[in-house]
Amino acid sequence: MAKIHNLGFPRIGARRELKFALERYWKGDDTADQLEAVATALRKENWERQKQAGLNLIPVGDFSFYDQVLDTSFLLGNIPTRFQNSPSVSTLNQYFRVARGLSPDPQAEPVRAAEMTKWFDTNYHYLVPEFEAETQFELNPERLLNQIKEAQDLGYAAKPVILGPLSYLWLGKGHSGIQPLDLLEQLIPLYSRLLSEISRLGVEWLQIDEPILALDLPDSWKKAFEVTYHQLRHPGLKILMATYFGPLADNLTTIAHLPVEGLHIDAVRGRDEVTIVLDKISGYKTISLGVIDGRNIWRSDLNALLQWLKPIHEKLGDRLWLAPSCSLLHVPVDLEQEDQLPEGVAGWLSFAQQKLEELNILAIALNDGEDKVAGQLDVNASAIFNRRHSSLVNNVSVKEKLAQLGDDSFFRSDTFEVRRQLQHQALGLPLFPTTTIGSFPQTADIRRQRQQFKSGEISQEQYHQAMQEEIRKAVAEQEALDIDVLVHGEAERNDMVEYFGEQLDGYCFSRYGWVQSYGSRCVKPPIIYGDVARPKAMTVAWTQFAQEQTLRPMKGMLTGPITMLQWSFVRDDQPREQTAWQIALALQEEVLDLEQAGIRIIQMDEPALREGLPLRKSEWKNYLAWATRAFRLSVYGVQPATQIHTHMCYSEFNDIIGAIAELDADVITIETSRSDMELLDAFVNFSYPNDIGPGVYDIHSPNIPTQRAIVELMEKALKHIPAQQLWINPDCGLKTRGWDEVRPALRAMVNAAKALRLRHE
């Protein structure tokens, strides 16, 4: 009899209850007990949802106040030294201090927050573990154990979920010559003790996530799996090793004979590998197939899945488990809330709750016969057919434009050196020019006016006038701070992807389709269901209005094609590169209209370029080829005197620096503040030809940088990059910060630039 289970459920709540509880606590409006009460209620709701969906085993330990990797650091007592100077701070506040650099506890000094980076190739961010010479692990299992008891007391069949020791070490960063794998010997006894504690609670199955098995691993790490899991065997406790985000490939041999009782594999991204896995894995092991896509929102073709699963079920019997491909953290909670999707599109979609229901249909069909769910299977077949043949999906003119592209459609006609001279003459900027990344604080007043406009309380004209006033304020603030290149502040924009998607054909938006990006930061990804086209200009009027308020250069702000792709739920019925190029053509029209309106600096943000990389290096070349072409296509046709900027954040650049150069942006701005300029190591052995703005101000922390700190960071940058190539800017947009933080931070940034000019002119 096939069983169904889940690897993890969204923790933010169907209406972002966790987000709002966290932010109330950080502001001091709620107590720790009130925050814990919200968390307890959400866990119970999530467990009940999964039980009602028919799951045989329910994940426990997937809930987090901020990030599951940070939870593991606290579970293992791995707190970086710089956070240990306030022993009176509560564990909860210390946790938020590591995540944000600041906590509600007034006794806790502000400190540099832990580095944050992307979770594999998703849009989720995790807090990077730090390993120092002083690192000593200490098991703190109480929070996890209490959640297991909490679930058991409520009558749920708990399957605890923890991050495996090897993935934890791999995801971390060693300092002062520390190699993470060298710490494994110290870590294994703690995991062994943890398994003992879990076993004492009567738990039958424990899920240990080792997602690094989807990566290219050195031999030393492969060997470490055998050493580790032979030592982690525990009588009475069965281990389900979970891998996801891709096939095992050469790592299958590594784990085929490990002494674990079960193996979960991603049967969406690694479906072609399933037959090989079944042949190689020992006959006693439980095989969990991740057959429902945990990372996208399209309804699964259940009838096709059943035909594929039937012979597998006949072979495995009770040893077959079914699950989503990965944690459902990456999709919204419940489609049933949605009431504003285009007619027809909703029937093509499946959110977390619906994905569990799809699993249940599959299990019933396999275990009891398809006739038991014949009605559900017919509805599913109809939805799949309708989507495939819908006129909403296909736009003939867009396909014709793509077909007409030639090789010369992807390259600017002049070299960067020619463009630099023309841009210098046109713009007249000083050494170390200052700018910001695009957005300014989305104040309560701005959000209120947007809500009033959406609800019909104010007219479009009133909203338009209110946003123009916000633009005037943003321009005046920048001029008062003496910033060299201005932005309009993006007051009218709800989100850097959603704003554009709302104005493009082929896109639609959910009302409550929020997913967690990091901490309390939630995003509502657009849904790309059809061919993409631009019916009319999207940003020109706002940018032109902003330029009219100042004599200084005003940047036009756009989101690039790869980020528009990567931060959306993308149609899965055509290659991603075709969708990317469709978006690029739409953006190209906007770029040329901005230039025609007199805007001489245009920023095409691509923070998601690296996160789109396939996990296996053998596939990088193909992805980078079409991704960089999409960027160049989006700015093709601009005059050489028009300066093109791009922005990237929270990415390691060393291994793709050549591709970044291939973008041929005149200026690239990147995140470097949290990594203390370490990201600039990429430029040591690579002579990057164009201009660079290394971020000097960490906008994801409420800490305000000093002039001295910014100068010190820039002096580090100057060791790698000539002064003539350097810009000074924050590491990301300022949307989430308040003006009381932004003003002093930008003042320090401008003063640092002026000090550097005196030193280096």
Side-chain angles (χ1 to χ4, degrees), residues 56-112:
N56 301 106
L57 291 170
I58 295 172
V60 176
D62 55 329
F63 181 86
S64 175
F65 275 133
Y66 206 97
D67 164 52
Q68 70 265 19
V69 182
L70 180 60
D71 291 355
T72 307
S73 291
F74 273 71
L75 172 71
L76 301 173
N78 180 27
I79 314 301
T81 305
R82 68 182 179 281
F83 297 102
Q84 298 175 15
N85 59 355
S86 298
S88 62
V89 176
S90 70
T91 301
L92 181 63
N93 282 344
Q94 187 74 298
Y95 176 91
F96 291 131
R97 196 164 171 246
V98 175
R100 306 175 67 239
L102 198 66
S103 83
D105 196 319
Q107 300 179 69
E109 295 279 335
V111 67
R112 178 171 57 88

Side-chain angles (χ1 to χ4, degrees), residues 38 56 75 105 141 244 253 418 460 557 573 626 669 743 747:
V38 172
N56 301 106
L75 172 71
D105 196 319
Y244 37 83
T253 303
V418 171
Q460 183 171 1
M557 301 299 306
D573 58 345
W626 65 256
T669 52
R743 285 190 192 94
R747 188 174 297 112

Side-chain angles (χ1 to χ4, degrees), residues 438-722:
S439 60
F440 276 117
Q442 289 269 318
T443 63
D445 191 44
I446 291 174
R447 293 194 298 271
R448 178 181 56 79
Q449 290 174 104
R450 182 177 296 120
Q451 186 57 42
Q452 288 177 334
F453 173 55
K454 286 185 176 181
S455 65
E457 294 178 52
I458 62 175
S459 67
Q460 183 171 1
E461 183 180 356
Q462 288 173 309
Y463 176 70
H464 190 89
Q465 290 173 350
M467 293 303 101
Q468 284 188 332
E469 182 56 32
E470 294 293 340
I471 290 172
R472 288 191 189 94
K473 291 177 184 177
V475 172
E477 291 277 4
Q478 292 170 87
E479 288 192 322
L481 289 163
D482 203 19
I483 294 174
D484 299 306
V485 174
L486 311 190
V487 296
H488 79 288
E490 303 180 11
E492 82 289 357
R493 301 187 189 183
N494 44 15
D495 175 84
M496 67 182 292
V497 174
E498 184 175 359
Y499 174 79
F500 292 98
E502 286 177 332
Q503 302 181 74
L504 293 170
D505 291 342
Y507 274 82
C508 71
F509 290 83
S510 60
R511 188 177 179 188
Y512 301 108
W514 299 96
V515 295
Q516 183 183 22
S517 180
Y518 62 87
S520 69
R521 169 68 169 160
C522 300
V523 295
K524 187 153 58 72
I527 299 166
I528 306 177
Y529 64 85
D531 292 331
V532 178
R534 186 194 78 143
K536 60 182 180 180
M538 302 178 286
T539 68
V540 176
W542 296 111
T543 311
Q544 195 170 26
F545 174 81
Q547 183 64 84
E548 290 168 357
Q549 311 307 308
T550 182
L551 296 176
R552 302 184 185 213
M554 177 65 60
K555 277 196 293 189
M557 301 299 306
L558 303 173
T559 301
I562 301 305
T563 301
M564 290 286 293
L565 182 85
Q566 196 67 22
W567 290 1
S568 299
F569 290 123
V570 184
R571 58 188 294 191
D572 58 357
D573 58 345
Q574 70 177 15
R576 289 173 71 87
E577 65 190 82
Q578 288 187 25
T579 305
W581 289 0
Q582 289 179 1
I583 299 169
L585 283 173
L587 291 171
Q588 181 191 100
E589 294 175 6
E590 188 74 12
V591 166
L592 296 178
D593 280 353
L594 281 168
E595 184 182 60
Q596 186 67 30
I599 304 303
R600 290 293 171 258
I601 302 180
I602 301 171
Q603 183 168 307
M604 184 73 69
D605 286 344
E606 281 293 22
L609 178 72
R610 195 189 192 287
E611 78 183 46
L613 276 174
L615 297 179
R616 296 284 181 167
K617 287 190 175 180
S618 60
E619 301 171 15
W620 283 16
K621 183 177 179 180
N622 179 60
Y623 162 75
L624 289 170
W626 65 256
T628 53
R629 285 168 76 88
F631 179 89
R632 294 195 304 266
L633 178 61
S634 68
V635 298
Y636 175 75
V638 298
Q639 298 300 310
T642 298
Q643 191 174 74
I644 299 298
H645 289 224
T646 191
H647 170 67
M648 299 177 184
C649 55
Y650 298 108
S651 292
E652 298 288 345
F653 299 116
N654 302 50
D655 43 10
I656 63 163
I657 187 65
I660 291 174
E662 285 293 315
L663 297 177
D664 198 26
D666 299 304
V667 182
I668 178 174
T669 52
I670 59 175
E671 181 278 326
T672 51
S673 58
R674 280 203 179 197
S675 62
D676 200 29
M677 290 289 171
E678 285 183 12
L679 287 180
L680 289 182
D681 290 346
F683 299 91
V684 174
N685 298 315
F686 185 92
S687 181
Y688 186 75
N690 301 11
D691 290 355
I692 305 170
V696 294
Y697 161 26
D698 176 16
I699 69 91
H700 294 89
S701 168
N703 293 343
I704 297 171
T706 64
Q707 176 183 331
R708 178 179 177 181
I710 293 173
V711 168
E712 288 175 354
L713 284 173
M714 289 302 297
E715 291 291 358
K716 289 183 179 180
L718 282 159
K719 294 178 181 178
H720 306 305
I721 301 164

